[in-house]
Amino acid sequence: MDAQVENAIEIAWNPTSDQNLKAQAFGFLNQLRSDSSGWQVCLSLFTRSPKPSDIVRHVALEVVNNAVQTRQLDPQSLSFIKDNLMDYIHRTYGPYAVDADRDTVAIQNKVTQTGTYLFTASYASGWKSFFDDFLGLTRAEGDIGRDNAPGVILYLKILNSVYDEIADVLVSRSQDELKRNNELKDLVRERDVRKVVLSWQEILSQWRERDDVIVNLCLKSIGRWVSWIDISLVVNQSLLGQVFQIVGRARPNITEDGGVDKVQNSAIDTLTEMVGKKMKAADKIEMIIFLELGNTIAQLVASPPLHDLRSSALYDSDLAETVAKLVNNATFDIVKTLDTESVDDQTRKRADELLQVFLPFVLRLFSDEFDEICSTVIPSLTDLLTFFRKDALAKGSLAPHYSTMLSPILNAIIAKMKYDETSSWGNEDEKTDEAEFQELRKRLQILQQAIAVVDAPLYIEVLSNLVSNTFESWQQRQGQIDWRDLDLALYEMYLFGELAIRNGGLFSKSKPTSTAAERLVEMMQKMVRSGVASFSHPAIQLQYMEICVRYCAFFENHSDLIPQVLEDFVRFIHHDHIKVKTRSWYLFHRFAKQLRAQLGNVAQTVIESISDLLIIKAELPPEGSGDDDMSSEENDQSADAIFTSQLYLFETIGCISSTSAIPVDKQVLYAQSVMNPLFANMQNHLGPAKNGDERAKLQIHHVIMALGTLARGFSDWMPGNTSTSSTAPANEISEIFGQAGDAILVALESLKSSLDIRGAARSAFSRLIGVLGARILPQLVQWIDGLLSQSSTKDEMATFLRSLDQVVYGFKTEIFDILDSLLSPLLQRVFSGLAEPTTGTDDEIQLIELRRAYLNFLLVILNNDLGSVLVSTANQQTFETIITTLAHFAKDTSDFPTAKLSFSVLTRMSALWGGPDIIPQLPFDSQQPPHKNSSSSSSPPPLPSLSLINTAPNPTPTLPGFDHFMITRFSPLCWALPTHPSFNPKDPQAKQALSEIAALQRVIYAKTGQAFVSWLREVELRGMGVEGEVAEEYLRALGGLDGRGFKAFFQGFVGRKGG
C-alpha cells in the first residue's frame, strides 16, 4: 500500500505525467484523504527510512494533518501519531541526529504544522508534556546550555505556530474555535508559560552572538506571545537586558553595504509588541518609563544608520520604519492616557512629560524622506491633534504647553507637502509614485485642517506667510525659483479655502467674510499680479488654473484682474503639454461659466482666440484597445478623452456668447460662426458614413455632440423647471438652433442603425430642449423615429423616455395634439422592447429600467392633465395593451418597486376617470387601524358603519363604464400580488407595494361605493375563502379608516392571511 500511495503522489505532481494517469492519481489520493485509515499509511510513509522524496513526504503528512485537524481520530490514534512523530523528530532534530538526515525547510514547516494540530487536539487532555517534549530537543540530556541548533529552531517554530493557531486575532474564527483557543491559552498560562519565558532567556543568552536565525526566531516568538501572557513575566531585567543589547548592538559591516540587520529590527518589533499590549493607562505609562523607551529611541535615531547616513543611499529605511512603529505605538498610548478623564493627576503629569519626549521623535520620523516612514506615525499624530481639539473645546483654549507643539507640527506637515528633490513631475515611469504622493497629501491635509480647528490664527499666519514669501521670492529672483517651492505655495493656497470660505463665501457686501478670507484675497492679488502663471513648469500652470476656478468669487469683486487671467487661460489652452492643454479646456469652461456676466464684452475676442481649437478631427481607437485601457480618467490621453475635453470649449463659447449684455443679433452671429463649419463638416462626411466609413461615422458623432454641447452652453433653461433663474432664450436663438436640430435629424435618419450616432443624437436632443423650447415639438416624430429604431437597446429606450418626461412636463399646454398622434407608435416600440427576452444580468437590469421609465412616462402624462390622450380615438387600441402591461407588472413578485409603480398608475387612472367621489374621504389620521396581529376570530374594534354607502349617489365616471372597469379589472390585481405563493409580506419593498394597493382600493371605494363593497364581499373575498366576520372586519376597515390607517390594516390583514 505504501508503494501504491508513493507512486500515486509521484504521478500526480509530475508535470510530464499523462493527464489521464494524473487524474486517476488525484482521484485515488482524494479517496485516501477521506478514508478513515488512510492516515496510517501516510504516517508510515513519512517516517520510514530511507526517506521518500520531499513531495511524497509533504503530501503524506498533509493527509495526516487533515485527519488530526478535522477531528476524525480517537485518543488512541492521536497518541499513536504523537509517539511516531516524536520518535521521528528525535531521530531527525534531537541532539544526536545526523546532519545528513536533516529535513528541508519546507518539511520542517510541515512537521511544525502537524505538531501544532496535535497540540490543539491533545494538549488539554492527553499531551500535557507538549512544551517539555519539544524543549527537550534543544539540548542533550545532562547538558546545561541549549546548544542543539536544529532542536532550538524547531522548538521556536512550534511556539510561533502555536501562536498563529490559537492567539492570532487577525484570523477569523468560529465561536467554537474561539472557545477552544481561550481554554488552551488558559491552560498554557497555568502549566507552561513560565518555562517558555525562561527558555527564551536561555536561548538568547546561548545564541545572541552566534546565530542570527535562532535569535530572530526567538524574538519573533516573544513579540507574538507577549500579547496574551502576563506582561510581568517578560518585563524583567534578565530578558529585557538581552533584548536591549540586541537593539543597541553596533553594526560595523552593515552600514558599508547598505544591508539590513533583521535581528535588530526584530528586537525593536518585540518592544513595539510589549508597548502595544492592552493594559490600564497608569500601568502602560509605568511600563514605558520602566523600559526607558525615550533613551532607547534617542540612541536609535542618533545611530549612524539613521543619522549619519540619512542623506545617503545607505540610509537604513527598514530600521527607520521599524523605529517609527515603536514610536507610533508609544505615542498612541501616551495620548490615549491624556485623553482618559479617569486618569489620576500623577499619571497625567507623567504622560505629559513623556509627550514632550516623544513628540520630537514623531516629527523626526514624520519628516523622513521616505513616505512609508512618514505614514507610519501619522496615526499617532492624528490622535494627538484630535486630543488637542477636544481639550481646547472643553477648556475654551489649548493649554500653553500644548500650544507650543502646534507650530513645529504644522511646519513639519507643510514641509512634507512639498515634492522631494528626487521627484520628477509628469514622468510616465513614476505615475505610481505620483499617485502615492497625492494620496499622502490628502492625509496631510486632514492634519492641517485639524490644526486650523485648534488654532486658526496660527494656521492663517503660517500659511499666508509661506505663500506671500514664495511670491516675493519669485519676483525678486525674476523667476529663478525651484518649481517645488512654488508648487507648495500654490497647493497650500488651494487648501487655504477650506478655512477661508468655510462659512458660505469669500465676500459679504463686497467685503471679506473673515480674517482668513481677507488673507486669501491678498494671496489672490499677489498671485495674479506676480505673474507666476508664466512659470514654465506644467504643475505650476495647472495649480494656477485650479486656484482661479476655485476662487472665482474673488474676480467678481476684482474684475480688473480678469483680462490677465483670460490671457493666461488662452495661452494654456494652446499649451504643448497635453495634460495642461486638455485640463485647461475644462477649467476655462468652469471659469467662464461662473463669470459669464463679466465676460460679455470679450466674447468675440475669446471665440477668435480659440477658434483654431474648435476643428474636430475624429480618430478611431487603435485596434485591440477596447476596454483594456486602464488609464485613470485624469491621465487619459486617448483621442476619445481629448475630444471629451474639447467639448468644454464649445460649451464655454455658448456660455460667453449668451450673456444678457450681448445683443441678440450678436449672439446669433457668434452661434453661426461656430455652427456653420460644423454643418459643412457633417455634410462632407455624411456620404462616406452612409457607405460604412467608420471614421466618417465617428466624425459625425463628434459634430452632433459638439452641437448639443454648444446648445447647453447657450441655455441651461428647461421648460417647467422653476429651480433655476434662467429664462427661455430669444426666438432668434431658438431659430438658429432649430437648424442644428434639423441637421442632426438628417444625420440620424441616415445613420440610425449606428449605436454611437443614436447616443450622440439622444444627448443632443436633451440639450436642445432648453434652447429650442416649443420649437422642438413638431420634430418629435422624427426624433422618436430615429432614436427608437429597431436596433435600439432597452437602455436607449429608457433614457429617451426620461427625456420625453421633461418635454411632456414642460410643454403640457401645447403638446396634446402632437402627443396624441405619436403616442401609439411610440408605445408600440416600447412594447417591443419590453417583450424581448433577456440574455444576461445586464439585459435584465436594462429591462427593469425600461419598465420603470415606461410607467413613469405614463404617470407624467396622467399627472399633467394629459390623461385623455391615452383613451383618445387614435390610441384606444393601444390602451388595452397598456392595461395588460400594467396588470403583468402589478403581479410580478420578483420586482416589487415596478409592481408598486404599476399600482400608482392604476390609482391615478382611477382618480382621473372614476368620476367624483360618492363616498367622502375621511380626514387623515382620523381613526386608528385594527391591531395588525389580531386574529380573524377576535372581535374587531369599533369602526364606523357602512350606512353612508346606502345614501350615496350612483357612480358617474368620466369615462362611461369605467366604474365597472375599475371593479372588475383593477380590483382583482390588488389580490393577485399578495396571494402569490412567493409573496413575502415582511419584505420592506413588498410592504411599499401593499401600501399602494391599499391606496388603489380606497380610490375605487370612493368612486363606486356599494358596488365595490358588494363585489368584494360576494366575489373576491369569498373566492379567497374570506367570509363572515373576517370579511366584514375588512369592509368596515375599508370604509372607516383614513388612508394611513387602512394601509396599516391592509398590511396586517395580508400578513395574517399569508401566515
Side-chain angles (χ1 to χ4, degrees):
M1 186 65 173
D2 289 14
Q4 188 178 0
V5 173
E6 182 176 4
N7 190 42
I9 295 173
E10 294 285 8
I11 292 172
W13 268 268
N14 188 340
T16 62
S17 297
D18 177 77
Q19 291 301 315
N20 291 329
L21 276 178
K22 184 173 286 194
Q24 292 177 30
F26 275 116
F28 171 77
L29 293 173
N30 286 331
Q31 185 178 357
L32 181 72
R33 183 184 178 92
S34 59
D35 191 323
S36 60
S37 61
W39 62 269
Q40 298 176 4
V41 178
C42 291
L43 179 62
S44 173
L45 189 60
F46 176 80
T47 58
R48 94 170 182 205
S49 182
K51 298 176 181 177
S53 67
D54 272 8
I55 188 60
V56 171
R57 303 177 72 223
H58 188 281
V59 174
L61 203 52
E62 175 58 30
V63 174
V64 176
N65 288 352
N66 179 68
V68 176
Q69 188 183 23
T70 55
R71 302 185 180 182
Q72 300 175 6
L73 307 178
D74 55 27
Q76 292 77 15
S77 298
L78 288 172
S79 179
F80 179 79
I81 295 175
K82 185 257 298 185
D83 292 342
N84 279 267
L85 183 68
M86 290 307 296
D87 178 68
Y88 169 81
I89 288 174
H90 274 287
R91 287 189 281 112
T92 310
Y93 298 92
Y96 306 110
V98 180
D99 288 345
D101 290 336
R102 297 275 157 76
D103 290 332
T104 62
V105 173
I107 297 298
Q108 287 181 34
N109 293 338
K110 205 65 186 172
V111 169
T112 301
Q113 187 182 51
T114 307
T116 304
Y117 289 157
L118 286 170
F119 165 81
T120 59
S122 304
Y123 182 72
S125 54
W127 197 1
K128 296 181 181 181
S129 62
F130 175 84
F131 291 102
D132 290 322
D133 291 346
F134 279 97
L135 188 56
L137 299 170
T138 61
R139 64 185 174 197
E141 187 175 349
D143 288 353
I144 299 176
R146 302 197 178 277
D147 54 2
N148 178 36
V152 171
I153 290 173
L154 183 64
Y155 168 70
L156 293 173
K157 284 188 173 183
I158 284 287
L159 292 183
N160 287 326
S161 182
V162 166
Y163 165 83
D164 292 339
E165 185 65 22
I166 69 171
D168 190 347
V169 296
L170 298 179
V171 178
S172 178
R173 307 182 194 276
S174 67
Q175 287 300 317
D176 289 342
E177 288 175 326
L178 289 173
K179 180 182 177 182
R180 178 206 68 184
N181 292 348
N182 288 332
E183 291 172 352
L184 287 172
K185 285 189 288 185
D186 288 341
L187 286 173
V188 172
R189 294 185 189 107
E190 179 185 337
R191 297 174 182 172
D192 294 306
V193 72
R194 286 174 175 77
K195 68 183 67 170
V196 170
V197 173
L198 181 60
S199 73
W200 290 332
Q201 297 177 18
E202 294 171 346
I203 291 170
L204 287 178
S205 176
Q206 180 95 16
W207 295 96
R208 192 178 68 241
E209 305 294 338
R210 295 169 54 190
D211 192 316
D212 282 357
V213 171
I214 291 177
V215 175
N216 196 40
L217 276 172
C218 187
L219 290 169
K220 286 183 180 294
S221 176
I222 298 171
R224 292 179 173 188
W225 277 55
V226 77
S227 65
W228 61 278
I229 64 175
D230 186 352
I231 190 67
S232 64
L233 296 174
V234 179
V235 181
N236 60 71
Q237 292 294 349
S238 178
L239 181 59
L240 287 178
Q242 299 190 64
V243 173
F244 279 119
Q245 286 186 47
I246 299 170
V247 169
R249 73 182 189 176
R251 302 189 297 166
N253 298 322
I254 292 176
T255 55
E256 294 175 4
D257 59 11
V260 175
D261 187 347
K262 294 182 180 180
V263 173
Q264 184 185 36
N265 290 352
S266 293
I268 298 170
D269 284 336
T270 302
L271 294 177
T272 301
E273 293 297 333
M274 291 182 186
V275 173
K277 184 174 176 63
K278 293 181 180 179
M279 59 182 73
K280 294 179 180 179
D283 294 338
K284 181 60 68 72
I285 296 300
E286 181 68 32
M287 187 177 73
I288 293 174
I289 294 172
F290 176 78
L291 293 175
E292 298 184 349
L293 287 185
N295 292 336
T296 301
I297 294 170
Q299 293 171 12
L300 286 168
V301 170
S303 66
L306 298 188
H307 184 268
D308 300 352
L309 302 174
R310 183 174 180 180
S311 300
S312 75
L314 300 179
Y315 178 63
D316 193 343
S317 59
D318 288 328
L319 175 61
E321 189 171 357
T322 304
V323 174
K325 291 176 185 177
L326 176 58
V327 171
N328 185 71
N329 272 21
T331 307
F332 167 82
D333 283 308
I334 293 168
V335 174
K336 184 179 179 181
T337 301
L338 292 170
D339 198 25
T340 302
E341 294 181 2
S342 59
V343 168
D344 61 87
D345 292 342
Q346 178 64 21
T347 301
R348 187 177 300 278
K349 180 175 180 296
R350 299 171 83 182
D352 259 338
E353 293 171 352
L354 285 174
L355 181 61
Q356 299 286 346
V357 172
F358 274 81
L359 182 61
F361 302 146
V362 172
L363 296 181
R364 154 64 183 89
L365 295 162
F366 177 82
S367 304
D368 199 278
E369 177 184 350
F370 289 87
D371 293 343
E372 297 85 352
I373 299 168
C374 167
S375 298
T376 301
V377 296
I378 284 180
S380 61
L381 196 55
T382 303
D383 290 339
L384 177 61
L385 293 176
T386 302
F387 163 67
F388 285 168
R389 178 180 59 81
K390 291 169 63 177
D391 191 65
L393 187 63
K395 299 177 181 177
S397 63
L398 195 63
H401 67 291
Y402 292 148
S403 295
T404 58
M405 298 179 182
L406 289 176
S407 182
I409 293 174
L410 180 57
N411 289 332
I413 294 170
I414 293 172
K416 196 61 189 174
M417 286 277 197
K418 181 180 174 182
Y419 279 96
D420 62 47
E421 300 300 323
T422 62
S423 59
S424 54
W425 187 93
N427 191 324
E428 285 293 317
D429 297 332
E430 297 184 5
K431 280 186 177 181
T432 302
D433 292 341
E434 171 71 15
E436 290 175 351
F437 177 63
Q438 294 305 327
E439 191 62 33
L440 175 63
R441 272 185 162 182
K442 292 177 183 178
R443 299 178 68 188
L444 298 174
Q445 178 188 351
I446 295 173
L447 297 177
Q448 276 196 179
Q449 290 172 350
I451 293 179
V453 171
V454 176
D455 193 341
L458 171 68
Y459 178 83
I460 292 170
E461 189 67 23
V462 171
L463 267 295
S464 56
N465 285 343
L466 168 72
V467 173
S468 177
N469 292 340
T470 303
F471 288 155
E472 289 177 5
S473 177
W474 149 262
Q475 291 178 305
Q476 290 170 2
R477 300 181 186 179
Q478 299 180 340
Q480 300 302 311
I481 188 174
D482 191 327
W483 71 269
R484 298 171 182 83
D485 294 324
L486 203 50
D487 172 82
L488 176 63
L490 292 174
Y491 185 72
E492 291 289 6
M493 187 175 167
Y494 184 87
L495 298 182
F496 196 79
E498 298 291 337
L499 179 64
I501 58 177
R502 177 182 296 169
N503 298 320
L506 199 56
F507 295 98
S508 177
K509 298 181 180 178
S510 300
K511 293 184 178 180
T513 56
S514 63
T515 301
E518 183 179 349
R519 292 293 184 93
L520 182 57
V521 169
E522 294 173 1
M523 294 181 200
M524 288 294 294
Q525 291 174 324
K526 289 182 179 180
M527 182 188 75
V528 177
R529 288 172 177 156
S530 68
V532 296
S534 63
F535 196 88
S536 60
H537 197 282
I540 306 307
Q541 296 162 348
L542 288 168
Q543 287 278 23
Y544 175 83
M545 290 187 287
E546 297 280 0
I547 290 171
C548 289
V549 170
R550 182 171 199 189
Y551 305 128
C552 261
F554 163 81
F555 296 101
E556 294 176 0
N557 285 62
H558 295 82
S559 56
D560 58 306
L561 297 177
I562 291 179
Q564 176 61 55
V565 177
L566 283 177
E567 183 179 326
D568 295 332
F569 264 111
V570 169
R571 187 172 72 255
F572 295 145
I573 63 179
H574 289 87
H575 204 282
D576 293 335
H577 196 289
I578 188 65
K579 186 173 181 179
V580 174
K581 178 191 288 187
T582 54
R583 183 65 178 169
S584 70
W585 294 348
Y586 165 70
L587 293 172
F588 185 40
H589 157 254
R590 287 189 57 195
F591 184 80
K593 187 173 184 178
Q594 295 182 62
L595 296 173
R596 62 191 303 180
Q598 284 85 3
L599 301 181
N601 58 336
V602 296
Q604 184 171 353
T605 304
V606 171
I607 293 173
E608 290 174 352
S609 64
I610 67 175
S611 59
D612 59 314
L613 298 173
L614 301 180
I615 300 172
I616 295 175
K617 295 180 179 179
E619 295 181 27
L620 291 172
E623 290 187 15
S625 59
D627 298 327
D628 295 332
D629 186 4
M630 300 300 290
S631 300
S632 68
E633 186 173 320
E634 183 179 349
N635 296 313
D636 192 355
Q637 297 176 8
S638 64
D640 186 57
I642 293 172
F643 170 69
T644 300
S645 298
Q646 186 182 18
L647 288 175
Y648 288 115
L649 295 177
F650 289 94
E651 187 168 354
T652 302
I653 289 178
C655 288
I656 296 176
S657 303
S658 57
T659 62
S660 57
I662 300 177
V664 173
D665 59 331
K666 286 280 190 181
Q667 293 184 35
V668 172
L669 181 64
Y670 297 153
Q672 286 179 325
S673 69
V674 177
M675 285 195 289
N676 286 341
L678 295 176
F679 292 156
N681 195 315
M682 184 186 291
Q683 183 63 38
N684 291 337
H685 287 85
L686 191 57
K690 288 180 182 179
N691 294 327
D693 187 325
E694 292 300 324
R695 202 202 72 81
K697 287 183 184 178
L698 187 61
Q699 183 75 13
I700 291 177
H701 165 275
H702 285 9
V703 171
I704 293 173
M705 291 294 294
L707 290 170
T709 307
L710 180 67
R712 181 169 64 182
F714 258 86
S715 175
D716 57 4
W717 172 79
M718 287 300 288
N721 188 354
T722 59
S723 62
T724 64
S725 58
S726 304
T727 58
N731 288 333
E732 294 88 341
I733 299 298
S734 296
E735 184 175 347
I736 192 67
F737 275 99
Q739 298 175 20
D742 292 337
I744 295 171
L745 285 172
V746 170
L748 181 60
E749 172 62 28
S750 301
L751 303 171
K752 60 185 177 183
S753 61
S754 168
L755 177 65
D756 290 337
I757 297 297
R758 293 197 307 272
R762 187 169 58 253
S763 172
F765 171 79
S766 63
R767 295 169 178 182
L768 286 169
I769 294 172
V771 75
L772 290 183
R775 289 175 181 268
I776 203 169
L777 298 182
Q779 298 178 337
L780 276 182
V781 175
Q782 294 170 271
W783 284 107
I784 292 172
D785 183 63
L787 294 176
L788 298 184
S789 67
Q790 295 299 321
S791 51
S792 293
T793 65
K794 299 178 184 67
D795 186 54
E796 288 181 87
M797 293 181 186
T799 304
F800 184 62
L801 283 175
R802 286 190 281 269
S803 297
L804 285 182
D805 290 347
Q806 184 63 47
V807 175
V808 172
Y809 173 72
F811 302 110
K812 53 191 171 186
T813 60
E814 305 157 273
I815 199 174
F816 183 88
D817 291 338
I818 295 174
L819 187 61
D820 187 44
S821 64
L822 61 80
L823 184 65
S824 287
L826 167 66
L827 292 184
Q828 289 302 325
R829 299 193 183 188
V830 174
F831 295 153
S832 298
L834 292 171
E836 290 177 0
T838 56
T839 57
T841 303
D842 291 344
D843 210 21
E844 290 175 359
I845 293 173
Q846 289 186 12
L847 177 60
I848 291 172
E849 291 300 317
L850 178 57
R851 287 176 172 180
R852 295 175 188 174
Y854 160 67
L855 294 172
N856 276 315
F857 179 63
L858 295 179
L859 278 175
V860 168
I861 292 173
L862 293 167
N863 290 333
N864 286 282
D865 300 323
L866 295 168
S868 56
V869 77
L870 297 174
V871 291
S872 68
T873 303
N875 299 307
Q876 280 182 354
Q877 292 182 346
T878 304
F879 181 71
E880 181 57 35
T881 309
I882 292 174
I883 297 299
T884 302
T885 58
L886 293 175
H888 176 71
F889 298 154
K891 294 184 287 188
D892 189 354
T893 56
S894 66
D895 185 6
F896 288 127
T898 301
K900 175 181 178 291
L901 206 53
S902 297
F903 281 109
S904 297
V905 176
L906 295 173
T907 302
R908 187 59 184 154
M909 285 180 174
S910 301
L912 286 177
W913 299 329
D917 292 351
I918 62 173
I919 302 295
Q921 299 279 359
L922 290 175
F924 199 73
D925 270 350
S926 62
Q927 293 287 342
Q928 293 298 318
H931 194 278
K932 64 181 180 180
N933 292 323
S934 60
S935 64
S936 59
S937 60
S938 61
S939 300
L943 292 171
S945 69
L946 301 178
S947 58
L948 279 174
I949 300 177
N950 299 325
T951 59
N954 292 326
T956 55
T958 305
L959 294 179
F962 197 73
D963 53 338
H964 181 70
F965 190 83
M966 288 188 295
I967 292 173
T968 59
R969 296 290 297 275
F970 291 179
S971 181
L973 296 175
C974 295
W975 303 102
L977 183 72
T979 57
H980 193 281
S982 64
F983 183 81
N984 178 12
K986 295 181 180 180
D987 185 293
Q989 292 184 332
K991 288 183 178 180
Q992 294 180 13
L994 289 177
S995 295
E996 201 61 46
I997 293 173
L1000 174 58
Q1001 289 192 73
R1002 292 190 77 249
V1003 171
I1004 297 175
Y1005 170 69
K1007 304 297 183 184
T1008 61
Q1010 180 61 48
F1012 186 45
V1013 171
S1014 299
W1015 171 268
L1016 286 173
R1017 180 186 289 120
E1018 299 169 9
V1019 180
E1020 289 191 336
L1021 293 176
R1022 180 174 297 171
M1024 294 185 293
V1026 179
E1027 298 184 84
E1029 186 57 34
V1030 178
E1032 296 306 314
E1033 176 194 10
Y1034 183 85
L1035 295 173
R1036 285 198 299 274
L1038 176 64
L1041 296 176
D1042 70 332
R1044 177 181 294 177
F1046 183 68
K1047 287 179 181 179
F1049 171 84
F1050 185 68
Q1051 290 177 358
F1053 184 83
V1054 170
R1056 281 156 37 200
K1057 296 301 103 184

